[in-house]
Amino acid sequence: MIFRLATREDLPVVLGLLADSGEERAEVTGAHERAFAAIEADARNEMLVLVEDGTVLGCLQLTYVPGLGQGGRERALVEAVRVRADRRGGGLGAELMRLAVARAHERDCGLVQLTSNKQRADAHRFYERLGFARSHEGFKLHLEH
């Protein structure tokens, strides 16, 4: 298994994982292209994939956030954690998260944080098994365009 930065060629599969629709690939729009290019160009953002025999099995995005807390150390924000539906339950999600935490350690981050939808009880148990603690209440404000 290989854990690496995603490439443009991975984008349709990553979008398929994010859609969680059962489709292996999703249509790439101009907005997706621009977003991926921005992630790729930003040293504080990484779209990462877990690959076996040339097949993308999972993905996640890491964003390194500078701040004055944590002794001035960055925090690693984990988002978009997905594993192919047909490979769930076999430890790939835990491996993805272990590798993400290792990357955060390598960057000397002060902590790793994530949010999870309140309706996803299984995901909450998964993160707690990995040592994550419920510590904050999150809020969102969707902006209309």
Side-chain angles (χ1 to χ4, degrees):
M1 244 185 268
I2 300 168
F3 186 60
R4 63 167 171 76
L5 292 172
T7 65
R8 167 54 187 90
E9 291 74 32
D10 298 320
L11 193 50
V13 177
V14 168
L15 293 173
L17 288 170
L18 295 177
D20 203 19
S21 64
E23 297 294 320
E24 288 188 20
R25 302 172 74 78
E27 179 184 346
V28 178
T29 67
H32 294 125
E33 293 279 5
R34 289 186 296 279
F36 184 78
I39 291 167
E40 203 172 34
D42 184 346
R44 294 192 185 279
N45 272 287
E46 299 176 329
M47 190 72 208
L48 299 154
V49 290
L50 190 61
V51 180
E52 181 180 65
D53 299 325
T55 301
V56 174
L57 301 178
C59 67
L60 62 78
Q61 183 174 350
L62 272 176
T63 302
Y64 303 102
V65 181
L68 298 176
Q70 302 295 312
R73 294 162 64 198
E74 291 177 317
R75 65 187 64 220
L77 175 62
V78 180
E79 296 183 302
V81 180
R82 299 291 191 285
V83 171
R84 275 177 50 144
D86 63 343
R87 296 296 298 268
R88 291 181 188 151
L92 291 179
E95 181 68 4
L96 265 173
M97 291 300 296
R98 186 190 67 73
L99 293 165
V101 168
R103 287 183 83 84
H105 273 295
E106 289 168 9
R107 276 187 76 118
D108 194 35
C109 290
L111 64 86
V112 177
Q113 66 185 32
L114 56 86
T115 60
S116 181
N117 186 301
K118 287 186 175 193
Q119 308 306 313
R120 299 185 64 219
D122 290 343
H124 302 168
R125 285 188 293 276
F126 167 74
Y127 293 124
E128 287 172 337
R129 277 195 310 271
L130 296 176
F132 287 81
R134 296 176 194 231
S135 63
H136 291 73
E137 191 74 23
F139 298 88
K140 291 184 181 182
L141 174 65
H142 289 276
L143 304 178
E144 297 293 325
H145 291 277

